[in-house]
Amino acid sequence: MSLEAFISYLSLEKNYSHHTVTAYAKDISVFVEFCELNYQLSSIDDVPYVFIRNWIIVLVSDGLSNRSVNRKIASLKAYYKFLQKIGRIEVHPLVKHKALKTSKKIEIPFSFEEVEKALNAVNFNTDFEGVRDKLIIGLLYATGIRRIELVNLKVKDLDLKGKTIKVLGKRNKERIVPLAPFVCPWVAFYLDSREALPVINDKESLFLLKTGVKVYESLVYRIINRYFSKVSSKQKNSPHILRHTFATHLLNEGADLNSVKELLGHSSLASTQVYTHNSIAELKKVHLAAHPRNKK
């Protein structure tokens, strides 16, 4: 019952996405199974920290990365904080827990040349799917929006006259993002192709399958991976890397960090600062090439 209440709390009060809520529920369910199997407990509401520590040992022994273990423990921590909030427990068992050490993950963005090749050199089909795929890549690079934000775009969110798009971000926060001029004709062309579909079952959603229903997240991932694999040797070709690329390219061209923060829909500047690593690397190259003392 507590777990059901927690899931409702995440969905209704915290406004977490379905994907996030599902991940939290899965992590907690796995811990419940562990306690049932090893300690004959059907409820985890009141467990000592040693049970959680033993679960961590099992997870690490099974080859799970420290980052993945930390994510599972974060789910548990959120659950116990919720139990505190509703007065079910006084002190949660993870109050003194320290996260496992993880190496800092630096994601390498696509170069400008790679993006240009993906948008111009790659042969897109002239049918509906080819037009749609090119716009998906172009819109992700032009706006830096998240994959789920792109999937949830509505036709009414577009303002081609004002060259803006309304985006529904995390926790149902709306923001207006400018549309780069290069992508506007592609939007118009896609809308014509969309209108010509034999059947449109989902009239509100912007991006559709050729069957007339809304696209889904894994399809967007496959589209980015398919086209960028043709022009990039990177192991990871994903929508998130394209978002990372958007932010890095803006910063490299002198954009203000606060402005990039607003465009990305980040709630804090700390989230945006992870994108400055590659910008600083670019600045170092410019400094090395331009400073007169470096030329001696």
Side-chain angles (χ1 to χ4, degrees):
M1 189 64 184
S2 296
L3 182 54
E4 290 175 7
F6 176 61
I7 297 306
S8 296
Y9 166 73
L10 293 180
S11 301
L12 303 177
E13 289 193 41
K14 301 293 284 184
N15 287 323
Y16 283 179
S17 70
H18 174 72
H19 176 77
T20 301
V21 173
T22 302
Y24 272 60
K26 184 178 179 182
D27 291 339
I28 295 166
S29 296
V30 171
F31 182 60
V32 170
E33 290 174 10
F34 172 81
C35 289
E36 284 177 345
L37 182 64
N38 293 277
Y39 306 110
Q40 291 72 54
L41 293 177
S42 57
S43 171
I44 62 165
D45 289 6
D46 187 20
V47 298
Y49 175 67
V50 66
F51 288 7
I52 300 173
R53 187 183 64 189
N54 289 342
W55 185 48
I56 292 172
I57 292 170
V58 170
L59 292 174
V60 172
S61 300
D62 286 345
L64 215 62
S65 69
N66 285 6
R67 193 178 300 276
S68 296
V69 172
N70 286 342
R71 195 207 71 206
K72 291 182 181 297
I73 300 305
S75 299
L76 270 188
K77 204 167 193 176
Y79 177 65
Y80 287 120
K81 282 186 175 180
F82 168 73
L83 293 183
Q84 277 186 314
K85 182 182 176 73
I86 64 174
R88 184 66 62 88
I89 61 174
E90 289 186 16
V91 179
H92 70 71
L94 285 159
V95 68
K96 293 184 178 179
H97 173 76
K98 291 184 179 179
L100 302 181
K101 289 184 178 179
T102 57
S103 56
K104 204 159 189 178
K105 195 164 87 173
I106 297 172
E107 293 178 326
I108 308 299
F110 298 117
S111 67
F112 179 74
E113 290 72 24
E114 286 173 328
V115 177
E116 284 295 290
K117 285 179 182 176
L119 288 172
N120 299 316
V122 170
N123 291 322
F124 290 91
N125 292 333
T126 55
D127 59 8
F128 169 77
E129 289 181 332
V131 172
R132 180 201 63 199
D133 293 356
K134 183 170 184 176
L135 177 58
I136 283 176
I137 295 173
L139 199 59
L140 287 173
Y141 179 61
T143 63
I145 61 176
R146 300 175 178 92
R147 173 173 47 164
I148 186 62
E149 292 172 344
L150 179 129
V151 167
N152 288 333
L153 284 175
K154 310 289 186 189
V155 175
K156 66 180 182 181
D157 295 329
L158 284 169
D159 180 3
L160 284 179
K161 188 176 179 182
K163 292 185 172 60
T164 62
I165 193 164
K166 184 169 70 176
V167 179
L168 186 64
K170 287 186 175 180
R171 303 181 189 179
N172 291 330
K173 285 176 62 179
E174 286 186 352
R175 69 186 187 278
I176 303 297
V177 179
L179 281 176
F182 81 85
V183 84
C184 290
W186 300 354
V187 174
F189 189 40
Y190 168 74
L191 289 174
D192 289 341
S193 300
R194 180 185 180 281
E195 200 62 35
L197 286 173
V199 179
I200 300 180
N201 294 305
D202 189 336
K203 298 188 185 301
E204 289 192 351
S205 295
L206 176 60
F207 287 107
L208 303 177
L209 305 179
K210 64 181 179 181
T211 54
V213 299
K214 180 180 174 181
V215 297
Y216 45 94
E217 286 190 69
S218 58
L219 174 67
V220 176
Y221 181 92
R222 290 204 301 270
I223 288 169
I224 302 304
N225 186 58
R226 184 196 316 151
Y227 289 104
F228 275 91
S229 292
K230 296 176 182 178
V231 300
S232 173
S233 59
K234 290 181 177 60
Q235 289 186 331
K236 190 175 181 183
N237 299 297
S238 69
H240 182 71
I241 296 297
L242 203 47
R243 174 172 162 86
H244 186 59
T245 302
F246 163 82
T248 302
H249 288 186
L250 286 186
L251 290 167
N252 284 348
E253 293 298 317
D256 172 69
L257 191 62
N258 272 304
S259 300
V260 176
K261 167 186 169 289
E262 295 301 318
L263 289 169
L264 292 172
H266 284 159
S267 56
S268 72
L269 204 57
S271 300
T272 316
Q273 283 172 332
V274 299
Y275 297 109
T276 62
H277 172 83
N278 294 287
S279 181
I280 290 169
E282 188 70 21
L283 287 173
K284 284 181 178 177
K285 282 197 289 184
V286 172
H287 180 273
L288 190 65
H291 198 286
R293 293 288 298 180
N294 294 333
K295 294 178 180 178
K296 290 186 176 182

